[in-house]
Amino acid sequence: MSMAKIPKTVIELPLVLNENTPSDILTHSDGTANQESEIIKIKVPRNATWAFSTNDWFYFLPKDSGGSQITSGVVRMYLYDANKIIKYKLFEGPVGLFAEKQDRNKKFFLPSGFVRTSDELIVVTFESATAYSKDNSEFILTGRQFIRT
């Protein structure tokens, strides 16, 4: 008796990454004052591809350990290959540029589209005179995910 091979399919779904994303996909860390710190590290799961376009956006509201908003500092987003050898800086800007999530006219839309596949990384760094607290901060990154089943 032979078994028929079940064809693999691809499902497209919206992607919203934030501070509540599971830890096997996203690592959220505290940042040290006065140095560029990797505060968000996102690893694309196996059998998935994530696509981001200029219609997708990034929101970032950094806070210190007391819950006060950090209003000065520089945010950078980097793209890495799975081995973290190839590094590409997608954008860099002052923290105030990323502080809107409601008003479409004030949101920070990604400057260019990109695709990440299994095990590749998206890393956000933050550099400020004030230490960053992961417990009090918020962020959102939107995109599309394609999952092989």
Side-chain angles (χ1 to χ4, degrees):
M1 178 173 205
S2 68
M3 297 204 39
K5 223 176 183 186
I6 299 173
K8 290 191 176 204
T9 59
V10 175
I11 299 171
E12 179 181 353
L13 299 168
L15 177 66
V16 178
L17 301 163
N18 61 34
E19 63 276 2
N20 298 315
T21 299
S23 62
D24 59 329
I25 295 172
L26 189 141
T27 305
H28 192 193
S29 305
D30 289 330
T32 305
N34 300 312
Q35 76 178 40
E36 184 178 14
S37 301
E38 286 188 0
I39 56 165
I40 302 167
K41 186 166 29 173
I42 304 164
K43 184 177 181 181
V44 180
R46 295 275 167 106
N47 296 318
T49 298
W50 291 351
F52 300 86
S53 74
T54 54
N55 291 320
D56 291 309
W57 51 277
F58 178 68
Y59 162 75
F60 180 62
L61 186 66
K63 295 185 179 178
D64 63 19
S65 60
S68 297
Q69 183 176 347
I70 302 171
T71 57
S72 65
V74 177
V75 179
R76 297 174 185 95
M77 182 179 284
Y78 297 98
L79 307 177
Y80 287 93
D81 66 312
N83 296 319
K84 211 171 178 185
I85 295 171
I86 299 170
K87 177 180 181 180
Y88 172 78
K89 182 169 34 174
L90 183 65
F91 63 75
E92 174 178 337
V95 69
L97 186 63
F98 312 100
E100 179 60 46
K101 67 179 174 180
Q102 301 297 330
D103 186 343
R104 181 167 175 74
N105 296 319
K106 295 179 183 176
K107 282 183 182 179
F108 177 79
F109 288 92
L110 298 177
S112 64
F114 62 95
V115 173
R116 298 283 83 191
T117 59
S118 295
D119 297 328
E120 292 183 326
L121 302 167
I122 301 167
V123 174
V124 177
T125 66
F126 185 55
E127 185 174 357
S128 174
T130 306
Y132 172 84
S133 172
K134 69 177 182 178
D135 296 328
N136 297 312
S137 301
E138 301 173 30
F139 65 89
I140 300 171
L141 176 61
T142 66
R144 305 291 299 163
Q145 60 183 324
F146 301 86
I147 302 168
R148 287 189 307 255
T149 60

